Amino acid sequence: MAERAGVSRQTVSNAVNNPDLLRADTLLRVQQAIAELGYLPNRAARNLRTRSSHLIGLRISAAQEGTANATMDRFVHSLVETSRDAGYHVLLFAGEADDPLSGYDDLLRSTAVDAFVVTDTYLGNPQAGWLGSRRAPFVAFGRPWDAPEAHHPWVDVDGAAGCELATRHLLERGHQRIAWIGWRKDSPIGEDRREGWRRALHAQGLSSAGLAARVDDTVTSGAQASAALLDDAAPTGFVCASDTLAMGVLQTLAARGLTPGRDVAVVGFDDSQVAQVVTPGLTSVRQPLEQVAIEIVSALEGLLGHPPRVGDGVLLTPTLAVRGSS
Amino acid sequence: MAERAGVSRQTVSNAVNNPDLLRADTLLRVQQAIAELGYLPNRAARNLRTRSSHLIGLRISAAQEGTANATMDRFVHSLVETSRDAGYHVLLFAGEADDPLSGYDDLLRSTAVDAFVVTDTYLGNPQAGWLGSRRAPFVAFGRPWDAPEAHHPWVDVDGAAGCELATRHLLERGHQRIAWIGWRKDSPIGEDRREGWRRALHAQGLSSAGLAARVDDTVTSGAQASAALLDDAAPTGFVCASDTLAMGVLQTLAARGLTPGRDVAVVGFDDSQVAQVVTPGLTSVRQPLEQVAIEIVSALEGLLGHPPRVGDGVLLTPTLAVRGSS
DNA sequence: CTGAAAGCGCTAACAC
DNA sequence: GTGTTAGCGCTTTCAG
């Protein structure tokens, strides 16, 4: 221990945790000794004493192959960086694929983490209820769709606004017949995004009838849906619930000898690597994940503060990354 | 505490950590009590006492936008799942972009992690030397290119074998003139992969002269290089050091009205989401990241065992994901 | 403003 | 096989 400075161990502790308790010269002396010896408090001891780990848990599920979704990756990066600035590290853990609750309990009971960030809210987040009943601090990335009155902090991205933005972008480019390809009706996220498209069309007095398809999130589904829509409704633009579906549209266009961005415009959602790399570039709605991470960490700091502050939900607006396809 | 079973706290500890020390009936009784009370040892206390955290640190750097590389994402998933089975969790941390060492030191000195997994070895891994001198246990994902005699455990994927596989695949498909598009010469990984391509050609008595380009890892570079090669050497197949470069080739082919897989074959490297989603599917070398994670965790268990075992380097062979582009 | 004492919850070492 | 003792390194509480 750094009694090198000629003070008690306690004074060292204070120098680290409550610097303003010490006299200026003492503080300086201790800080010098700390720097010289490269002292850093032992995590385990501090955790034991303070009953906190300065760790936030994030469960990751296996990335889905065959889709263009890299949201998680970008989000994790942002979260790690933002957490660091707040003095937290991110603990990653896995759970059984079929059980959205697995993994949380052990970490909680063993006091391994201070709080969780919950992401898979599309499942109708049973986690929220469960964690809530366990009095486990957590912030959700995703709205409580099924429980509007849920009393936990959350941060989400306004998918409807994103798709409205995308649709308006195509309207400004002169398109009048803009089709929608989205997910099946049981996805609240999908329905939300769809609503943005509908809103933008109706705001211009345009009808959305016959211009929408609801399919699975695969390239093939996107290709089939766009082919059918082109035949039946002859749209000149497509707004899609995902980059994966948009890639299906590009596939159909290529098969028919149509040039994306010139003959038919296409917009995807998520600004995945695929959108960035494919020719001629896929215009895509980009979630402000850095900002999401900032809001989440901020909510987390509230939850873990003294006294705890439970903030309201935060809804962020995405941007549009415009590329060659529109 | 679970004295509900009528035993001492120590017996509980033994039941959890050294079950074979107890008599069968005592053990059973304790285990029942544990189950009833939902007891789980407090992490912090255990960590303090055993001087270990059961955490392994992994530094992540910001994902590069505009490239098709999702290796890190898949690897992190695999590592988390494998670590869990070995009783470890993964602690993610960030570092300053310009300092490959930043972030490690604090975690080490504060005993926050038991070991590290080091991934950015393409930097000529100064981390290895630094961590070694600090006696910090770590396993590298990546060979010690600049220091063949480095005395630390590592796991890597044989890029040369992967590209040889890719090239042989094209040879079997009847291609004779197969070009290479890779990275600049200062990348040992790139030179290694290139060597696999060369080896496969020479094994067939084919010349590799005039069939190779070394460029930056961008789509545009891949497009330009492939255009130049098509003009100068008229290859019928391309093997690329990355999916990003391969996307550039596809772009050139599209611009010239050539159909990938029919007129010209293309193979990428990394089996990214882009490869899986692009039309008509990009054949790509796939790293066995699940296996890499298993080997890494195994090496980690050796390092952290009593006594520590330092294993040798492990070199794994990738596979080829064949799709429409070949 | 600084020092001394107590104890967080667990497990390694030793006695019984 | 099981219970007892001690102490991991820190911070909170309380005296000086």
Side-chain angles (χ1 to χ4, degrees), chain B residues 45-287:
Chain B
R46 166 180 282 185
N47 292 349
L48 177 58
R49 185 65 240 236
T50 62
R51 299 162 165 288
S52 72
S53 63
H54 282 267
L55 252 37
I56 64 184
L58 177 69
R59 175 176 150 162
I60 57 169
S61 29
Q64 200 147 1
E65 307 257 334
T67 65
N69 195 336
T71 306
M72 201 55 191
D73 198 26
R74 255 182 71 212
F75 173 62
V76 171
H77 279 95
S78 302
L79 185 65
V80 169
E81 303 223 328
T82 314
S83 304
R84 176 192 52 180
D85 299 339
Y88 288 90
H89 286 284
V90 172
L91 176 91
L92 246 39
F93 66 102
E96 315 293 335
D98 50 347
D99 178 7
L101 263 41
S102 97
Y104 288 97
D105 194 33
D106 288 357
L107 289 172
L108 204 51
R109 293 218 316 273
S110 63
T111 63
V113 301
D114 290 350
F116 291 101
V117 172
V118 178
T119 57
D120 325 303
T121 57
Y122 55 86
L123 297 167
N125 55 341
Q127 304 99 326
W130 187 88
L131 289 170
S133 72
R134 287 274 199 289
R135 313 181 149 282
F138 74 98
V139 179
F141 178 7
R143 271 162 281 186
W145 295 101
D146 350 349
E149 284 318 299
H151 200 60
H152 67 258
W154 55 264
V155 179
D156 204 356
V157 174
D158 192 340
C163 291
E164 192 174 356
L165 190 65
T167 309
R168 278 213 309 267
H169 165 72
L170 295 187
L171 288 168
E172 284 165 13
R173 288 274 199 278
H175 295 272
Q176 296 274 337
R177 299 188 61 74
I178 302 171
W180 169 258
I181 301 180
W183 300 321
R184 302 202 173 279
K185 210 159 188 170
D186 54 1
S187 160
I189 300 179
E191 290 304 291
D192 182 52
R193 294 185 184 176
R194 185 183 199 276
E195 175 58 19
W197 159 78
R198 206 193 54 81
R199 214 156 59 197
L201 288 189
H202 288 198
Q204 293 291 318
L206 297 170
S207 163
S208 57
L211 281 167
R214 286 193 176 90
V215 297
D216 288 331
D217 191 38
T218 67
V219 177
T220 309
S221 300
Q224 290 167 349
S226 54
L229 282 163
L230 282 172
D231 291 341
D232 300 346
T236 63
F238 286 89
V239 177
C240 303
S242 74
D243 282 353
T244 308
L245 292 172
M247 287 302 290
V249 178
L250 292 185
Q251 185 175 316
T252 295
L253 296 185
R256 299 192 172 197
L258 297 169
T259 302
R262 200 192 58 194
D263 303 324
V264 176
V266 185
V267 184
F269 200 111
D270 264 348
D271 197 22
S272 61
Q273 291 184 317
V274 175
Q276 301 170 18
V277 157
V278 75
T279 307
L282 175 63
T283 297
S284 190
V285 177
R286 184 178 170 94
Q287 302 197 43

Side-chain angles (χ1 to χ4, degrees), chain A residues 169-321:
Chain A
H169 165 71
L170 295 187
L171 289 168
E172 284 165 12
R173 288 274 198 276
H175 295 272
Q176 296 273 337
R177 299 188 62 73
I178 301 171
W180 169 259
I181 303 181
W183 300 322
R184 301 199 174 283
K185 209 158 188 168
D186 52 2
S187 160
I189 300 178
E191 290 305 291
D192 182 52
R193 293 184 184 178
R194 186 184 200 277
E195 174 59 18
W197 159 78
R198 204 193 55 80
R199 215 156 58 196
L201 288 187
H202 288 199
Q204 293 292 317
L206 297 170
S207 164
S208 57
L211 280 168
R214 285 194 179 89
V215 297
D216 289 331
D217 192 38
T218 67
V219 177
T220 309
S221 301
Q224 290 167 349
S226 54
L229 282 163
L230 282 171
D231 291 341
D232 300 347
T236 64
F238 285 90
V239 176
C240 304
S242 74
D243 282 352
T244 308
L245 292 171
M247 285 302 290
V249 178
L250 291 186
Q251 185 174 316
T252 295
L253 297 186
R256 299 191 173 197
L258 297 169
T259 301
R262 200 192 59 193
D263 303 325
V264 176
V266 185
V267 184
F269 200 110
D270 263 349
D271 197 24
S272 61
Q273 290 184 318
V274 175
Q276 300 170 17
V277 157
V278 75
T279 306
L282 174 63
T283 297
S284 190
V285 177
R286 183 178 172 95
Q287 302 197 41
L289 298 180
E290 300 74 17
Q291 194 60 34
V292 170
I294 290 171
E295 294 290 348
I296 284 182
V297 170
S298 163
L300 234 23
E301 288 186 291
L303 281 182
L304 299 174
H306 303 286
R309 281 179 292 106
V310 180
D312 294 328
V314 175
L315 197 56
L316 299 171
T317 306
T319 57
L320 193 67

